[in-house]
Amino acid sequence: MSFKIGNVKLENNVCLAPMAGICDSAFRRIVKEMGVGLIFAEMVSDKALCFDSKKTLDMLYLTDEERPIAQQIFGSDPDSMAKAAKIIYEKMKPEIIDINMGCPVPKVAVKSGAGSGLLKDPDKIEKIVKAVVDAVPIPVTVKIRSGWDEKSINAVEVAKIIEKAGASAITVHPRTRKQGYEGHSDWNIIKEVKENVSIPVIGNGDIRSADDAIKMLKETKCDAIMIGRGALGNPFLFKEILYYLKTGEKLGEISKEEKIKYALKHFNYLLEFKNEKVAILEMRTHASWYLKGLKGSVEVKKKIFKVTTKEELIKTLDDFSKV
Ligand SMILES: Cc1cc2nc3c(=O)[nH]c(=O)nc-3n(C[C@H](O)[C@H](O)[C@H](O)COP(=O)(O)O)c2cc1C
C-alpha cells in the first residue's frame, strides 16, 4: 500500500480529493486522523497569489499534522503558474504542487481557459507543466478529466504530454467537462491512462465504499485512489478502506456518538483559524452531512441552522449525542 510520488514517500495509496470550499485545514485534519496517505488541498488561483490576495494567501493555512500535502493551483498562463508555484513553495512548503486541469466551472474553464479548459490546448498543457516543474524543487502532479466533451476524449494523449513535461504523477477523474458531476465516471479511461504512462496514476470518481475502492484498484490497476464526495460527513470512509485493504475485513458501522464526536472536533478545528461566525456557517453544512441518516437528525439540523454562538452549536450536538 505504500506509494511514492517523485521522492515523496507516502504511507498508503489512499488520497483525499481537492474540493473547493470543503478541503480546508479543519476537514483535512479530520481526514488525516482517519489515516489518509496524501491530502490534496483545494485549488487556489495563480493570479490571486501573484496579486498577493489576502483571501487566497489565507487559504494556504496548514498545520503540520496534515502533511504530506499537495497544494493545487489553477491558471492558464505558464509564467504566472510558475510564479504562483514558487509563492506556494515559499509560504507553505507543501510536499507536492498539483495543477488543476479538471475544473468545469465556466468562469475558470471557459472564460480563463484554465482547469478543464486546458484539455483543449495540449501545447499549453506542456508549457504550463514544464514551467511549474522548473519553478519548484518538489514533485509536480496534474489532475485531469477525460476530455472536454464526449467527442474529444483525450486523457491518454494529455497524460503522455504531462509525463513528458516532467510531472511526477497524474490523477484521472474520468468524466468530461461537459458531464460536470453527472452520470458515471468511466473507469476504463483510468485503465487506459495507466497502460500508457510510467508515472503513478491516481484513479478518482465515484468511490463511496471500501468495495468501490478495491474494485477501482483491481479493474484499472491504478497506483492509488482518490476520494472526494464520498468523504463528506463520512471521513470514516478512509479508515474503512484502509482497514479493508490491510485485513480483507470490513469495519462495523460508525456509531452516532463517533459521528458527533468528530463533528465537534471538526468545529473546534475550524474555530482555530476562522472567526466564530464563519466557523458556525461552515459547520452548518458539515454537521448536516455528519448527521445525515441518524434518527432525529432533521430536528437537530433545523436547530443548528438557527444557532449563532459556538456554545449553542456545541450544546446542540452534545445534547443530540445523549438522546
Ligand atoms: C464541492 C466540490 C469541489 C471541488 N473542487 C475541486 C478542486 O478544487 N480541484 C479539483 O481538482 N477538483 C475539485 N473537485 C472535483 C473532485 O476533486 C473530484 O474529482 C470529483 O468530485 C470526483 O470524485 P468523487 O466522485 O470521489 O467526488 C471538486 C468537487 C466537488 C464536489
Side-chain angles (χ1 to χ4, degrees):
M1 277 165 63
S2 67
F3 165 61
K4 241 179 136 184
I5 293 183
N7 56 359
V8 180
K9 260 185 115 179
L10 304 165
E11 263 178 45
N12 62 64
N13 57 351
V14 182
C15 311
L16 171 69
M19 285 184 284
I22 292 163
C23 291
D24 61 11
S25 175
F27 183 59
R28 297 188 312 234
R29 283 167 81 182
I30 295 287
V31 162
K32 187 71 188 183
E33 288 174 29
M34 301 294 158
V36 75
L38 176 63
I39 286 172
F40 284 77
E42 59 188 310
M43 63 181 188
V44 290
S45 149
D46 65 333
K47 294 269 187 263
L49 283 174
C50 294
F51 291 133
D52 225 14
S53 148
K54 181 174 173 333
K55 201 174 148 210
T56 304
L57 288 168
D58 285 349
M59 286 168 75
L60 302 182
Y61 174 84
L62 149 101
T63 61
D64 276 339
E65 291 160 43
E66 297 152 56
R67 295 181 184 280
I69 195 154
Q71 176 61 54
Q72 191 182 67
I73 34 173
F74 73 95
S76 61
D77 172 55
D79 291 339
S80 74
M81 285 291 273
K83 201 171 159 205
K86 271 190 193 149
I87 295 171
I88 290 174
Y89 178 69
E90 275 153 26
K91 298 248 181 243
M92 78 188 272
K93 294 271 181 310
E95 282 68 24
I96 293 167
I97 297 269
D98 187 56
I99 304 175
N100 181 315
M101 296 196 185
C103 180
V105 174
K107 206 174 125 197
V108 173
V110 182
K111 204 168 152 240
S112 319
S116 60
L118 287 168
L119 301 175
K120 295 204 284 189
D121 195 344
D123 283 348
K124 197 176 255 181
I125 290 178
E126 188 182 355
K127 285 188 187 128
I128 288 179
V129 177
K130 273 191 176 154
V132 176
V133 168
D134 287 346
V136 286
I138 51 175
V140 173
T141 58
V142 184
K143 181 163 176 283
I144 63 168
R145 282 186 175 244
S146 44
W148 180 256
D149 59 20
E150 68 281 6
K151 291 190 207 93
S152 55
I153 305 266
N154 60 353
V156 171
E157 177 201 341
V158 163
K160 286 182 180 170
I161 293 169
I162 287 168
E163 175 173 42
K164 204 164 149 240
S168 298
I170 182 158
T171 304
V172 185
H173 171 206
R175 279 189 174 85
T176 61
R177 186 261 163 182
K178 201 174 145 197
Q179 270 181 291
Y181 295 96
E182 302 292 319
H184 293 289
S185 53
D186 178 359
W187 291 1
N188 276 323
I189 292 174
I190 301 174
K191 185 167 179 265
E192 281 173 33
V193 171
K194 174 65 195 162
E195 284 163 0
N196 281 281
V197 294
S198 312
I199 50 174
V201 173
I202 304 168
N204 167 237
D206 304 330
I207 296 178
R208 303 282 175 155
S209 66
D211 285 323
D212 292 340
I214 304 283
K215 194 162 177 256
M216 181 185 277
L217 284 164
K218 277 196 181 147
E219 281 182 9
T220 71
K221 306 269 186 302
C222 62
D223 302 277
I225 51 170
M226 174 189 275
I227 295 147
R229 292 164 299 169
L232 301 180
N234 187 22
F236 317 99
L237 179 57
F238 290 105
K239 201 168 147 188
E240 285 172 29
I241 291 173
L242 289 163
Y243 189 75
Y244 195 35
L245 283 173
K246 274 182 202 148
T247 66
E249 283 170 28
K250 298 266 177 72
L251 273 178
E253 281 235 336
I254 310 296
S255 67
K256 176 181 166 188
E257 289 70 29
E258 189 81 346
K259 288 182 183 178
I260 295 173
K261 181 180 135 189
Y262 275 93
L264 282 165
K265 215 174 203 196
H266 192 146
F267 184 49
N268 281 316
Y269 288 158
L270 276 173
L271 289 168
E272 283 181 28
F273 68 108
K274 302 214 166 166
N275 71 46
E276 186 174 352
K277 197 174 160 204
V278 174
I280 290 172
L281 281 176
E282 292 190 7
M283 201 55 208
R284 282 181 184 168
T285 314
H286 284 284
S288 64
W289 286 329
Y290 277 103
L291 304 184
K292 202 173 155 196
L294 293 176
K295 199 167 160 243
S297 65
V298 175
E299 288 310 310
V300 183
K301 280 189 225 167
K302 279 186 196 156
K303 277 191 199 159
I304 289 174
F305 271 77
K306 286 186 195 143
V307 300
T308 52
T309 66
K310 61 181 181 209
E311 289 79 11
E312 281 176 284
L313 180 42
I314 292 169
K315 186 171 182 318
T316 309
L317 284 170
D318 262 342
D319 288 350
F320 185 48
S321 73
K322 290 176 198 138
V323 183

